[in-house]
Amino acid sequence: MDKTQKLLYQRDIEKYLESRKVYELFQELMKNLVINKPDDPIEYIIEKLSTPQQKKIFIVGPPGSSARGIALHLADYLGYNCTSVGDLL
């Protein structure tokens, strides 16, 4: 493989990693390792990658903006749970 082919190959790899958000994934994994300092880092990483990420959506609006109604409708449509600040208090 000559220098030009190596450069093209490197660019293809970088495009792939960026498009699949691999850099962000590794950054998040390393951050969690440093914060949590697990006894078995490999098992910790495997567990993190095996556990689906919990998705959260926040809807904020002033009184009378129907934010709760919109949130309930969206939660029903997406199959999510809806929790309002009032429910927590």
Side-chain angles (χ1 to χ4, degrees):
M1 187 179 288
D2 68 2
K3 194 173 185 176
T4 304
Q5 289 174 322
K6 284 182 181 180
L7 184 59
L8 291 174
Y9 179 73
Q10 182 180 358
R11 286 182 185 164
D12 287 342
I13 295 294
E14 287 178 12
K15 284 181 188 177
Y16 173 81
L17 294 173
E18 287 175 4
S19 69
R20 302 296 191 279
K21 298 184 180 185
V22 175
Y23 292 127
E24 289 89 350
L25 174 65
F26 275 108
Q27 183 177 8
E28 186 68 21
L29 286 171
M30 293 303 111
K31 180 180 83 172
N32 285 322
L33 279 174
V34 170
I35 291 170
N36 296 307
K37 297 178 181 76
D39 291 332
D40 187 352
I42 301 298
E43 185 62 35
Y44 178 82
I45 290 173
I46 291 170
E47 184 180 328
K48 279 297 222 181
L49 292 173
S50 300
T51 306
Q53 291 290 324
Q54 186 178 25
K55 294 182 170 103
K56 298 174 186 169
I57 299 172
F58 293 91
I59 298 177
V60 181
S65 66
S66 302
R68 182 173 172 82
I70 293 168
L72 288 169
H73 179 71
L74 187 61
D76 184 50
Y77 178 77
L78 296 173
Y80 287 10
N81 293 324
C82 183
T83 305
S84 70
V85 173
D87 296 338
L88 298 174
L89 302 175

Short mmCIF file of all heavy atoms in Angstrom, two decimals, residues 18-53:
data_model
loop_
_atom_site.label_atom_id
_atom_site.label_comp_id
_atom_site.label_asym_id
_atom_site.label_seq_id
_atom_site.Cartn_x
_atom_site.Cartn_y
_atom_site.Cartn_z
N GLU A 18 -16.57 8.42 12.67
CA GLU A 18 -17.37 9.62 12.96
C GLU A 18 -18.84 9.38 12.67
O GLU A 18 -19.71 9.78 13.45
CB GLU A 18 -16.84 10.81 12.17
CG GLU A 18 -15.52 11.33 12.71
CD GLU A 18 -14.93 12.44 11.85
OE1 GLU A 18 -15.58 12.87 10.86
OE2 GLU A 18 -13.81 12.88 12.16
N SER A 19 -19.15 8.73 11.56
CA SER A 19 -20.56 8.52 11.19
C SER A 19 -21.25 7.57 12.16
O SER A 19 -22.46 7.66 12.37
CB SER A 19 -20.68 8.00 9.76
OG SER A 19 -20.18 6.68 9.66
N ARG A 20 -20.52 6.66 12.76
CA ARG A 20 -21.09 5.70 13.72
C ARG A 20 -20.94 6.16 15.17
O ARG A 20 -21.27 5.44 16.09
CB ARG A 20 -20.43 4.32 13.57
CG ARG A 20 -20.54 3.68 12.21
CD ARG A 20 -21.98 3.39 11.83
NE ARG A 20 -22.12 2.56 10.67
CZ ARG A 20 -22.05 2.95 9.41
NH1 ARG A 20 -21.77 4.22 9.14
NH2 ARG A 20 -22.23 2.12 8.40
N LYS A 21 -20.40 7.37 15.35
CA LYS A 21 -20.21 7.99 16.67
C LYS A 21 -19.37 7.12 17.61
O LYS A 21 -19.62 7.04 18.81
CB LYS A 21 -21.55 8.33 17.31
CG LYS A 21 -22.35 9.33 16.49
CD LYS A 21 -23.60 9.73 17.17
CE LYS A 21 -24.33 10.74 16.28
NZ LYS A 21 -25.52 11.27 16.91
N VAL A 22 -18.35 6.48 17.05
CA VAL A 22 -17.48 5.62 17.84
C VAL A 22 -16.62 6.44 18.79
O VAL A 22 -16.39 6.04 19.93
CB VAL A 22 -16.61 4.73 16.92
CG1 VAL A 22 -15.61 3.91 17.71
CG2 VAL A 22 -17.51 3.83 16.08
N TYR A 23 -16.16 7.61 18.35
CA TYR A 23 -15.35 8.46 19.23
C TYR A 23 -16.13 8.85 20.47
O TYR A 23 -15.61 8.79 21.59
CB TYR A 23 -14.89 9.72 18.49
CG TYR A 23 -13.89 9.48 17.37
CD1 TYR A 23 -14.12 9.97 16.10
CD2 TYR A 23 -12.72 8.76 17.60
CE1 TYR A 23 -13.20 9.75 15.07
CE2 TYR A 23 -11.81 8.53 16.59
CZ TYR A 23 -12.05 9.03 15.32
OH TYR A 23 -11.15 8.81 14.31
N GLU A 24 -17.40 9.24 20.29
CA GLU A 24 -18.23 9.63 21.42
C GLU A 24 -18.47 8.45 22.36
O GLU A 24 -18.46 8.59 23.58
CB GLU A 24 -19.58 10.19 20.95
CG GLU A 24 -19.49 11.54 20.29
CD GLU A 24 -19.25 11.45 18.79
OE1 GLU A 24 -18.96 10.34 18.27
OE2 GLU A 24 -19.32 12.49 18.12
N LEU A 25 -18.66 7.26 21.77
CA LEU A 25 -18.86 6.06 22.57
C LEU A 25 -17.65 5.78 23.46
O LEU A 25 -17.78 5.55 24.67
CB LEU A 25 -19.13 4.87 21.67
CG LEU A 25 -19.23 3.50 22.34
CD1 LEU A 25 -20.42 3.45 23.27
CD2 LEU A 25 -19.31 2.41 21.29
N PHE A 26 -16.45 5.82 22.87
CA PHE A 26 -15.24 5.58 23.65
C PHE A 26 -15.02 6.65 24.70
O PHE A 26 -14.61 6.36 25.83
CB PHE A 26 -14.01 5.48 22.74
CG PHE A 26 -13.81 4.10 22.18
CD1 PHE A 26 -14.05 3.84 20.85
CD2 PHE A 26 -13.38 3.06 22.99
CE1 PHE A 26 -13.88 2.57 20.33
CE2 PHE A 26 -13.20 1.79 22.48
CZ PHE A 26 -13.45 1.54 21.14
N GLN A 27 -15.31 7.88 24.36
CA GLN A 27 -15.15 8.97 25.32
C GLN A 27 -16.08 8.75 26.52
O GLN A 27 -15.66 8.90 27.68
CB GLN A 27 -15.44 10.31 24.67
CG GLN A 27 -15.24 11.49 25.59
CD GLN A 27 -15.47 12.82 24.88
OE1 GLN A 27 -15.93 12.87 23.75
NE2 GLN A 27 -15.16 13.89 25.55
N GLU A 28 -17.31 8.37 26.27
CA GLU A 28 -18.27 8.13 27.35
C GLU A 28 -17.84 6.93 28.19
O GLU A 28 -17.92 6.97 29.42
CB GLU A 28 -19.67 7.90 26.77
CG GLU A 28 -20.76 7.78 27.79
CD GLU A 28 -21.03 9.06 28.55
OE1 GLU A 28 -20.69 10.16 28.08
OE2 GLU A 28 -21.58 8.95 29.66
N LEU A 29 -17.36 5.87 27.55
CA LEU A 29 -16.90 4.69 28.28
C LEU A 29 -15.71 5.03 29.17
O LEU A 29 -15.65 4.63 30.34
CB LEU A 29 -16.53 3.56 27.32
CG LEU A 29 -17.68 2.82 26.66
CD1 LEU A 29 -17.16 1.89 25.58
CD2 LEU A 29 -18.50 2.06 27.68
N MET A 30 -14.74 5.78 28.64
CA MET A 30 -13.56 6.15 29.43
C MET A 30 -13.94 7.06 30.59
O MET A 30 -13.43 6.92 31.70
CB MET A 30 -12.51 6.83 28.55
CG MET A 30 -11.88 5.94 27.51
SD MET A 30 -11.10 4.49 28.24
CE MET A 30 -12.19 3.20 27.66
N LYS A 31 -14.86 7.98 30.35
CA LYS A 31 -15.32 8.88 31.41
C LYS A 31 -15.95 8.07 32.54
O LYS A 31 -15.65 8.27 33.72
CB LYS A 31 -16.33 9.89 30.86
CG LYS A 31 -16.86 10.86 31.91
CD LYS A 31 -17.83 11.84 31.32
CE LYS A 31 -19.19 11.18 31.26
NZ LYS A 31 -20.28 12.07 30.87
N ASN A 32 -16.81 7.10 32.18
CA ASN A 32 -17.45 6.26 33.19
C ASN A 32 -16.44 5.40 33.93
O ASN A 32 -16.60 5.16 35.14
CB ASN A 32 -18.54 5.39 32.56
CG ASN A 32 -19.78 6.18 32.24
OD1 ASN A 32 -20.17 7.06 32.98
ND2 ASN A 32 -20.39 5.88 31.11
N LEU A 33 -15.42 4.92 33.25
CA LEU A 33 -14.38 4.14 33.92
C LEU A 33 -13.65 4.97 34.96
O LEU A 33 -13.40 4.52 36.08
CB LEU A 33 -13.38 3.59 32.91
CG LEU A 33 -13.79 2.34 32.15
CD1 LEU A 33 -12.74 2.01 31.08
CD2 LEU A 33 -13.98 1.17 33.07
N VAL A 34 -13.30 6.20 34.60
CA VAL A 34 -12.56 7.07 35.52
C VAL A 34 -13.43 7.45 36.71
O VAL A 34 -12.96 7.49 37.85
CB VAL A 34 -12.06 8.33 34.77
CG1 VAL A 34 -11.52 9.36 35.73
CG2 VAL A 34 -11.00 7.94 33.75
N ILE A 35 -14.70 7.71 36.47
CA ILE A 35 -15.60 8.12 37.55
C ILE A 35 -15.91 6.95 38.48
O ILE A 35 -15.83 7.08 39.71
CB ILE A 35 -16.91 8.70 36.97
CG1 ILE A 35 -16.63 10.04 36.30
CG2 ILE A 35 -17.98 8.85 38.06
CD1 ILE A 35 -17.80 10.58 35.50
N ASN A 36 -16.24 5.78 37.91
CA ASN A 36 -16.70 4.65 38.73
C ASN A 36 -15.58 3.73 39.22
O ASN A 36 -15.78 3.02 40.20
CB ASN A 36 -17.73 3.83 37.94
CG ASN A 36 -18.96 4.64 37.65
OD1 ASN A 36 -19.56 5.21 38.55
ND2 ASN A 36 -19.34 4.73 36.38
N LYS A 37 -14.46 3.72 38.54
CA LYS A 37 -13.29 2.90 38.92
C LYS A 37 -13.70 1.46 39.29
O LYS A 37 -13.46 0.99 40.41
CB LYS A 37 -12.54 3.54 40.07
CG LYS A 37 -11.96 4.89 39.73
CD LYS A 37 -11.26 5.49 40.94
CE LYS A 37 -10.69 6.84 40.64
NZ LYS A 37 -11.65 7.91 40.59
N PRO A 38 -14.29 0.72 38.35
CA PRO A 38 -14.73 -0.64 38.67
C PRO A 38 -13.53 -1.57 38.89
O PRO A 38 -12.45 -1.35 38.35
CB PRO A 38 -15.52 -1.06 37.43
CG PRO A 38 -14.93 -0.24 36.33
CD PRO A 38 -14.55 1.07 36.96
N ASP A 39 -13.75 -2.62 39.70
CA ASP A 39 -12.69 -3.60 39.95
C ASP A 39 -12.32 -4.35 38.67
O ASP A 39 -11.16 -4.69 38.47
CB ASP A 39 -13.12 -4.60 41.03
CG ASP A 39 -13.23 -3.95 42.40
OD1 ASP A 39 -12.50 -2.96 42.64
OD2 ASP A 39 -14.04 -4.43 43.21
N ASP A 40 -13.31 -4.64 37.84
CA ASP A 40 -13.08 -5.35 36.58
C ASP A 40 -13.52 -4.45 35.42
O ASP A 40 -14.69 -4.48 35.02
CB ASP A 40 -13.86 -6.67 36.57
CG ASP A 40 -13.54 -7.52 35.37
OD1 ASP A 40 -12.82 -7.06 34.46
OD2 ASP A 40 -13.99 -8.69 35.35
N PRO A 41 -12.61 -3.64 34.86
CA PRO A 41 -12.99 -2.69 33.81
C PRO A 41 -13.55 -3.36 32.56
O PRO A 41 -14.47 -2.83 31.95
CB PRO A 41 -11.70 -1.94 33.49
CG PRO A 41 -10.69 -2.36 34.47
CD PRO A 41 -11.21 -3.52 35.23
N ILE A 42 -13.02 -4.52 32.20
CA ILE A 42 -13.51 -5.19 30.98
C ILE A 42 -14.96 -5.62 31.17
O ILE A 42 -15.81 -5.39 30.30
CB ILE A 42 -12.62 -6.41 30.63
CG1 ILE A 42 -11.17 -5.98 30.41
CG2 ILE A 42 -13.18 -7.14 29.43
CD1 ILE A 42 -10.95 -5.03 29.27
N GLU A 43 -15.26 -6.23 32.29
CA GLU A 43 -16.64 -6.66 32.58
C GLU A 43 -17.56 -5.45 32.65
O GLU A 43 -18.70 -5.49 32.17
CB GLU A 43 -16.69 -7.45 33.89
CG GLU A 43 -18.05 -8.02 34.20
CD GLU A 43 -18.54 -9.01 33.15
OE1 GLU A 43 -17.72 -9.75 32.58
OE2 GLU A 43 -19.76 -9.02 32.89
N TYR A 44 -17.07 -4.36 33.22
CA TYR A 44 -17.86 -3.12 33.32
C TYR A 44 -18.20 -2.60 31.92
O TYR A 44 -19.35 -2.24 31.65
CB TYR A 44 -17.07 -2.07 34.10
CG TYR A 44 -17.75 -0.75 34.23
CD1 TYR A 44 -18.72 -0.53 35.20
CD2 TYR A 44 -17.43 0.30 33.37
CE1 TYR A 44 -19.35 0.69 35.32
CE2 TYR A 44 -18.06 1.52 33.48
CZ TYR A 44 -19.02 1.72 34.45
OH TYR A 44 -19.65 2.94 34.55
N ILE A 45 -17.23 -2.58 31.03
CA ILE A 45 -17.46 -2.10 29.66
C ILE A 45 -18.44 -3.01 28.94
O ILE A 45 -19.35 -2.54 28.25
CB ILE A 45 -16.12 -1.99 28.89
CG1 ILE A 45 -15.30 -0.82 29.45
CG2 ILE A 45 -16.36 -1.80 27.40
CD1 ILE A 45 -13.90 -0.72 28.90
N ILE A 46 -18.27 -4.32 29.10
CA ILE A 46 -19.19 -5.26 28.45
C ILE A 46 -20.62 -5.03 28.94
O ILE A 46 -21.57 -5.00 28.16
CB ILE A 46 -18.74 -6.72 28.70
CG1 ILE A 46 -17.45 -7.00 27.93
CG2 ILE A 46 -19.83 -7.70 28.31
CD1 ILE A 46 -16.77 -8.30 28.28
N GLU A 47 -20.76 -4.84 30.25
CA GLU A 47 -22.09 -4.59 30.82
C GLU A 47 -22.68 -3.29 30.29
O GLU A 47 -23.86 -3.24 29.94
CB GLU A 47 -22.01 -4.54 32.34
CG GLU A 47 -23.36 -4.37 33.02
CD GLU A 47 -23.25 -4.32 34.53
OE1 GLU A 47 -22.36 -4.98 35.09
OE2 GLU A 47 -24.05 -3.60 35.14
N LYS A 48 -21.87 -2.24 30.23
CA LYS A 48 -22.34 -0.95 29.72
C LYS A 48 -22.80 -1.06 28.27
O LYS A 48 -23.81 -0.49 27.88
CB LYS A 48 -21.24 0.11 29.80
CG LYS A 48 -21.09 0.74 31.15
CD LYS A 48 -22.32 1.47 31.53
CE LYS A 48 -22.02 2.79 32.16
NZ LYS A 48 -23.22 3.49 32.56
N LEU A 49 -22.06 -1.80 27.46
CA LEU A 49 -22.40 -1.95 26.05
C LEU A 49 -23.60 -2.87 25.84
O LEU A 49 -24.30 -2.77 24.84
CB LEU A 49 -21.20 -2.47 25.26
CG LEU A 49 -20.02 -1.50 25.15
CD1 LEU A 49 -18.83 -2.19 24.51
CD2 LEU A 49 -20.41 -0.26 24.36
N SER A 50 -23.84 -3.77 26.80
CA SER A 50 -24.95 -4.71 26.69
C SER A 50 -26.27 -4.14 27.18
O SER A 50 -27.34 -4.61 26.80
CB SER A 50 -24.65 -5.98 27.49
OG SER A 50 -23.48 -6.59 27.01
N THR A 51 -26.20 -3.13 28.03
CA THR A 51 -27.41 -2.53 28.61
C THR A 51 -27.92 -1.42 27.70
O THR A 51 -27.18 -0.50 27.37
CB THR A 51 -27.09 -1.93 30.00
OG1 THR A 51 -26.48 -2.94 30.79
CG2 THR A 51 -28.33 -1.41 30.68
N PRO A 52 -29.19 -1.50 27.28
CA PRO A 52 -29.71 -0.44 26.42
C PRO A 52 -29.75 0.90 27.15
O PRO A 52 -30.01 0.95 28.35
CB PRO A 52 -31.12 -0.90 26.07
CG PRO A 52 -31.40 -2.10 26.86
CD PRO A 52 -30.16 -2.52 27.57
N GLN A 53 -29.47 1.96 26.42
CA GLN A 53 -29.49 3.30 26.99
C GLN A 53 -30.93 3.74 27.23
O GLN A 53 -31.80 3.55 26.39
CB GLN A 53 -28.81 4.31 26.05
CG GLN A 53 -27.33 4.11 25.92
CD GLN A 53 -26.60 4.49 27.18
OE1 GLN A 53 -26.97 5.43 27.85
NE2 GLN A 53 -25.56 3.76 27.50
#
